[in-house]
């Protein structure tokens, strides 16, 4: 159904395509965006295996060859226990010698390290500042309207100063009236544009980011939110791993010895003193 082009007004019959022949239900932009997501998912091997969600799929890469690391499972011959791993996709074809790594241990370790990363108030400060700036760059119309508004206000100020000095000619007053009308029109346009893309303060972003500290990472859904939101990519080498966060490309390199020896997994969110008590419901994103 998601790939059916009839929803964008195309009628197909025996190899013949007739455009705009049926009512269009969704925009072509939305339809194309859905196709991109479908293509992305089709290239993510074994995102689900035996009802077990592999949270790092599409984010975890082999440090040896650069290929994606994907789901792999095996059953113990004696105990019948199922063991789950991430393995280099080329290793299955004997084209890479990278050893598989435990799914649970790696996922929990990444989540724990990310939670440690989020405990840094400086990180929250810098990331919230970046998000605050981005909301202005996303709209190409709003900055132009705001600049036009400043220009009109400056022109109005100049005329008012001239009137106060006794230069109140009919032409000047008529120009002032026209500028006031243009200013109102620009102000209305700015208000409408802001309704399309609400403008939040840096404190709003800081509050939302801080709320991620309270997520229950003992649950699969809690781990998923942390990984999907903050992890850009992970490269697993023979003696270390590199985590690239969605925070100005910040990287962290960790020895594999720390991963192998660590037991601080799935213990729940850190108890951060002064954590926010509620989410700002007006934000366009949510950490609920």
């Amino acid at each position: 159904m998601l790939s059916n082009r009839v929803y964008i007004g195309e009628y197909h019959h025996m190899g013949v395509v007739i455009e705009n022949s049926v009512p269009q239900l969704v925009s072509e932009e939305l339809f194309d965006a859905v196709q991109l997501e479908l293509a992305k998912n089709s290239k993510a091997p074994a995102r689900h295996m035996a009802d077990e969600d592999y949270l790092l799929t599409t984010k975890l890469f082999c440090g040896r060859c650069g290929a994606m690391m994907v789901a792999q499972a095996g059953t113990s011959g004696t105990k019948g226990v199922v063991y789950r791993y991430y393995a280099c996709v080329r290793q299955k074809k004997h084209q890479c010698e990278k050893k598989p790594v435990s799914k649970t241990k790696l996922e929990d370790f990444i989540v724990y390290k990310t939670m440690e990363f989020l405990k840094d108030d400086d990180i929250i400060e810098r990331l919230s500042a970046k998000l605050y700036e981005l909301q202005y760059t996303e709209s190409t119309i709003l900055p132009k309207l705001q600049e036009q508004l400043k220009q009109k206000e400056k022109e109005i100020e100049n005329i008012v100063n001239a009137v106060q000095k006794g230069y109140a000619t009919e032409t000047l007053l008529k120009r002032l009236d026209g500028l006031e009308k243009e200013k109102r029109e620009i102000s209305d346009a700015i208000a409408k544009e802001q309704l399309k893309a609400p403008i939040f303060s840096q404190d709003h972003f800081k509050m939302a980011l801080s709320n991620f500290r309270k997520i229950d990472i003992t649950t699969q859904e809690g781990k998923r939110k942390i990984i999907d939101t903050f992890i850009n990519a992970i490269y697993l080498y023979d003696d270390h791993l590199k985590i690239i966060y969605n925070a100005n490309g910040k990287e962290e390199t960790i020895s594999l010895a720390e991963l192998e020896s660590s037991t601080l997994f799935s213990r729940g969110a850190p108890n951060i003193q002064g954590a926010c008590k509620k989410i700002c419901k007006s934000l366009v994103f949510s950490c609920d």
Side-chain angles (χ1 to χ4, degrees):
M1 183 180 72
L2 295 176
S3 301
N4 193 340
R5 299 185 67 85
V6 72
Y7 292 105
I8 58 172
E10 288 186 5
Y11 177 74
H12 292 245
H13 182 66
M14 299 183 68
V16 177
V17 178
I18 306 175
E19 297 182 355
N20 303 317
S21 59
V22 293
Q24 184 174 351
L25 300 180
V26 298
S27 68
E28 290 189 31
E29 290 78 13
L30 177 58
F31 185 87
D32 290 340
V34 171
Q35 304 317 301
L36 284 175
E37 289 300 315
L38 291 175
K40 185 192 301 181
N41 290 337
S42 69
K43 294 177 182 178
R47 180 65 193 253
H48 298 277
M49 178 179 286
D51 298 325
E52 192 74 17
D53 206 356
Y54 284 72
L55 302 178
L56 297 177
T57 302
T58 73
K59 294 178 181 287
L60 182 62
F61 298 89
C62 174
R64 274 179 173 256
C65 68
M68 187 181 294
M69 297 190 70
V70 297
Q72 188 179 80
T75 304
S76 168
T78 56
K79 299 180 181 179
V81 178
V82 177
Y83 296 96
R84 307 188 189 282
Y85 305 93
Y86 284 100
C88 176
V89 70
R90 299 184 67 200
Q91 181 261 339
K92 293 182 178 181
K93 300 178 181 179
H94 306 288
Q95 296 174 340
C96 181
E97 296 180 359
K98 184 77 186 79
K99 293 181 179 179
V101 62
S102 167
K103 169 196 179 298
T104 301
K105 194 163 191 175
L106 181 60
E107 288 178 355
D108 287 349
F109 185 73
I110 294 299
V111 170
Y112 170 72
K113 278 295 181 181
T114 305
M115 296 301 283
E116 291 291 304
F117 165 79
L118 289 174
K119 288 167 67 174
D120 188 338
D121 289 337
D122 288 339
I123 293 291
I124 297 295
E125 185 73 26
R126 291 201 300 271
L127 193 53
S128 62
K130 185 66 177 177
L131 289 170
Y132 177 72
E133 293 173 5
L134 282 175
Q135 66 183 341
Y136 287 99
T137 59
E138 286 176 356
S139 172
T140 57
I141 299 175
L142 191 57
K144 293 178 181 178
L145 289 173
Q146 290 170 333
E147 185 60 34
Q148 289 176 20
L149 183 62
K150 289 180 182 178
Q151 292 174 358
K152 297 302 175 186
E153 289 175 340
K154 184 63 177 177
E155 290 183 55
I156 290 171
E157 182 183 354
N158 290 339
I159 293 178
V160 169
N161 290 337
V163 170
Q164 289 175 342
K165 291 178 181 179
Y167 302 107
T169 65
E170 183 178 347
T171 302
L172 204 58
L173 293 175
K174 188 175 181 180
R175 175 60 180 157
L176 178 61
D177 184 60
L179 286 171
E180 289 287 359
K181 182 180 179 181
E182 290 175 15
K183 178 185 173 182
R184 288 193 296 271
E185 290 174 350
I186 295 172
S187 296
D188 289 343
I190 288 175
K192 290 177 181 178
E193 189 66 22
Q194 288 177 331
L195 285 175
K196 294 179 185 177
I199 301 300
F200 303 112
S201 69
Q202 186 174 338
D203 286 339
H204 284 137
F205 287 111
K206 196 182 302 182
M207 181 184 297
L209 289 168
S210 296
N211 273 323
F212 277 97
R213 294 169 168 176
K214 303 193 303 181
I215 285 179
D216 183 4
I217 60 172
T218 63
T219 67
Q220 193 77 346
E221 187 58 30
K223 295 175 189 177
R224 184 199 312 281
K225 287 180 179 179
I226 293 297
I227 289 173
D228 286 351
T229 303
F230 294 101
I231 300 299
N232 180 283
I234 302 165
Y235 291 88
L236 188 62
Y237 298 86
D238 290 337
D239 59 349
H240 70 281
L241 60 89
K242 181 188 292 184
I243 305 173
I244 303 175
Y245 295 99
N246 285 325
N248 293 334
K250 176 179 171 58
E251 297 183 4
E252 183 175 9
T253 300
I254 305 162
S255 70
L256 226 55
E258 183 179 349
L259 167 63
E260 293 300 328
S261 61
S262 182
T263 56
L264 299 174
F265 305 133
S266 299
R267 63 181 190 180
N271 183 18
I272 309 297
Q273 186 176 4
C276 301
K277 294 182 180 179
K278 60 182 179 178
I279 270 183
C280 180
K281 294 182 179 179
S282 63
L283 292 177
V284 293
F285 53 87
S286 171
C287 346
D288 286 333

